[in-house]
Amino acid sequence: VEDLLTMGDRCVKAMPEALVPSPVFASLFECACFGSLVEHQQASHALLLFVENSILLGVRNPKRDLLRPHIESAMAKGGQMLVNNIVAGMAGQLPTTVLISRTDGSLEMALDAVCQFIQSDEQLRAVLQTALKSQGCAHVNTALASWFVEGVLSSSHSASSRFSDYSRIIEQFSDRARLRLNRKV
């Protein structure tokens, strides 16, 4: 898994115009969505880095107009599952070693890529709320879920301190959700 997704990530970076429009990309992205709760540190980092870089092609790449429809198609098939798994991982379903990283793939960076890709606050709110209602977040109460959604949305609009606010929200949500999870076990 790790080698496959590392290779996929390298292809996304080196030759996105060849990979993304191909059926291989859609299958690889779907595989990453399914596997996004893998509890293997190196595999998780490779998977999350592939997801992050793939999604950001539709945001930052000079040829994003060509690539974005293919990424949207892949997100339509597995995007909600991916976000469900990312948020569940943050809430305690994955170890904290994949929560935050500035160099390897992380849950924080993968969710940030999703937030940048989804252009509508209303759609992002709905995706996050659905994720917080998934089985992996059953221990997250309504108040914490609402705080998290509003925090992610407001940090995406704060240009100067956007990423520091976002990181703080992710860390606090994870800490609070993990405390609730430990109390329920």
Side-chain angles (χ1 to χ4, degrees):
V1 172
E2 178 186 355
D3 291 341
L4 175 66
L5 292 168
T6 298
M7 181 187 69
D9 185 54
R10 287 180 182 157
C11 290
V12 160
K13 291 175 184 173
M15 49 186 198
E17 299 88 9
L19 178 64
V20 173
S22 77
V24 172
F25 174 77
S27 298
L28 193 56
F29 192 86
E30 191 171 7
C31 175
C33 293
F34 276 110
S36 51
L37 276 180
V38 169
E39 288 194 45
H40 183 278
Q41 188 172 351
Q42 288 84 6
S44 291
H45 284 299
L47 183 149
L48 292 166
L49 194 58
F50 167 76
V51 164
E52 174 192 346
N53 288 326
S54 296
I55 293 170
L56 289 177
L57 285 174
V59 177
R60 297 182 184 158
N61 190 286
K63 296 186 179 184
R64 67 181 161 268
D65 293 339
L66 169 74
L67 302 173
R68 189 171 175 98
H70 301 286
I71 299 165
E72 285 175 349
S73 177
M75 286 287 286
K77 291 179 185 171
Q80 185 63 60
M81 180 192 338
L82 174 69
V83 175
N84 291 359
N85 290 345
I86 289 171
V87 174
M90 290 176 172
Q93 301 301 318
L94 286 174
T96 57
T97 55
V98 294
L99 182 62
I100 294 175
S101 173
R102 300 290 181 261
T103 56
D104 288 334
S106 67
L107 296 168
E108 174 192 39
M109 298 302 289
L111 184 61
D112 183 56
V114 171
C115 292
Q116 290 182 56
F117 187 80
I118 297 175
Q119 297 174 328
S120 151
D121 281 357
E122 185 177 299
Q123 185 182 5
L124 181 57
R125 176 179 277 112
V127 166
L128 291 172
Q129 288 172 338
T130 299
L132 288 158
K133 292 176 185 170
S134 70
Q135 185 176 351
C137 291
H139 60 286
V140 176
N141 65 19
T142 305
L144 181 55
S146 295
W147 175 85
F148 176 70
V149 170
E150 295 310 315
V152 169
L153 287 169
S154 69
S155 71
S156 68
H157 297 299
S158 171
S160 62
S161 60
R162 185 184 104 61
F163 207 77
S164 63
D165 289 348
Y166 174 76
S167 292
R168 181 186 48 80
I169 289 160
I170 298 302
E171 289 176 21
Q172 288 180 1
F173 170 74
S174 183
D175 290 345
R176 293 173 184 174
R178 287 171 194 275
L179 280 172
R180 293 190 55 78
L181 180 62
N182 289 336
R183 289 184 190 144
K184 290 202 171 212
V185 172

